[in-house]
Amino acid sequence: MASGFEGDPREHILSAAARLFEQGGFAGTSTREIAAASGLTQGSIFHYFPTKADILAELLDRTTEPAMSYVAELRNLDVSTTERLCLLNYLDALALCSGPYNEAALMYLPEARAPMFDEYWRKRQVLVDSYLALIREGVESGDFAEEDPERLNTLVCALTESSVRWFDRARHEPRETAELVARTVLRIVLRDRVDTEAVVAATIAEYGHTFAGVVPATTVPPDPR
């Protein structure tokens, strides 16, 4: 490990790998490059992560963990289905856009479909099913459009995940982007025309503070070199 190294080595490794995977892909990034970028020796990398695939697995898991914690907390809130969907969608999009690097886009890497990452896709399906349960509830209550819930859910999830492709960390602000995604989703699912900007703003103002502590930090670990 380099002298003067500060912070958690695992976080330095993950931060460096996320940036390198985003720039050069999984196959195009070596553990030697990750070690150099994180200020560690290659042997130290293997002490924390036995393989490069283990690094990617950890990064992928981190893209679903925040939203899954939101699902659990939302169950304890006495709110309408519209407010629950709004909050889940806003917080999900906010988490996707809040990291210093675009970790969520790593799910689009071809290697992410390998069997070794099946656990990540299982967790992601749990999140998709949570969205579906809310949409079915809204359709049954008459609040949401009379559409096939599964088709509506596919559209909502695709729209939310698409933010990782067009969100520009140099130009866009995460909270404004998450609000835009939430407003767009409500325009799609709600049966009646409403002021979605007002609904999103009021819902976040009323309940957003409940989840303030689970939004990931947007800082990068200090450069150890």
Side-chain angles (χ1 to χ4, degrees):
M1 187 181 299
S3 61
F5 191 92
E6 297 180 4
D8 183 349
R10 282 179 58 88
E11 294 305 315
H12 281 280
I13 294 167
L14 291 167
S15 178
R19 173 171 57 83
L20 292 170
F21 289 161
E22 181 185 358
Q23 294 173 349
F26 181 78
T29 299
S30 68
T31 53
R32 188 181 301 276
E33 290 173 311
I34 296 172
S38 61
L40 294 162
T41 65
Q42 195 169 11
S44 295
I45 296 287
F46 294 129
H47 171 74
Y48 294 101
F49 297 96
T51 69
K52 187 172 66 169
D54 290 313
I55 300 175
L56 179 56
E58 175 73 15
L59 289 168
L60 288 171
D61 277 348
R62 290 188 175 203
T63 67
T64 58
E65 286 170 359
M68 292 308 301
S69 69
Y70 307 149
V71 169
E73 293 193 44
L74 280 167
R75 294 193 185 103
N76 299 322
L77 280 184
D78 184 18
V79 296
S80 69
T81 304
T82 297
E83 291 170 322
R84 204 179 304 275
L85 177 62
C86 173
L87 282 167
L88 175 59
N89 189 236
Y90 167 77
L91 293 164
D92 189 9
L94 181 60
L96 292 175
C97 299
S98 288
Y101 305 115
N102 197 4
E103 292 96 337
L106 298 178
M107 68 177 175
Y108 296 112
L109 290 172
E111 295 86 354
R113 287 291 179 180
M116 68 184 71
F117 303 114
D118 282 351
E119 180 62 16
Y120 159 74
W121 292 105
R122 185 196 66 77
K123 292 178 181 177
R124 181 178 173 276
Q125 188 59 50
V126 172
L127 176 59
V128 171
D129 290 344
S130 298
Y131 270 103
L132 179 58
L134 283 174
I135 288 174
R136 280 179 171 156
E137 184 179 324
V139 170
E140 290 172 2
S141 69
D143 293 331
F144 294 174
E146 295 181 7
E147 289 280 349
D148 175 359
E150 292 192 3
R151 182 172 63 176
L152 199 57
N153 188 55
T154 298
L155 180 58
V156 167
C157 291
L159 189 153
T160 306
E161 290 170 359
S162 74
S163 62
V164 306
R165 293 189 176 274
W166 54 263
F167 176 74
D168 185 342
R169 281 161 174 73
R171 296 172 51 237
H172 303 143
E173 202 280 322
R175 293 186 185 278
E176 292 179 357
T177 300
E179 289 174 11
L180 172 62
V181 172
R183 291 196 302 270
T184 305
V185 163
L186 289 188
R187 291 190 189 107
I188 291 171
V189 304
L190 289 176
R191 185 186 63 181
D192 299 327
R193 278 185 170 274
V194 300
D195 184 345
T196 55
E197 185 169 358
V199 171
V200 171
T203 302
I204 294 170
E206 180 72 19
Y207 304 105
H209 66 280
T210 306
F211 307 90
V214 294
V215 175
T218 58
T219 57
V220 181
D223 192 335
R225 290 170 293 176

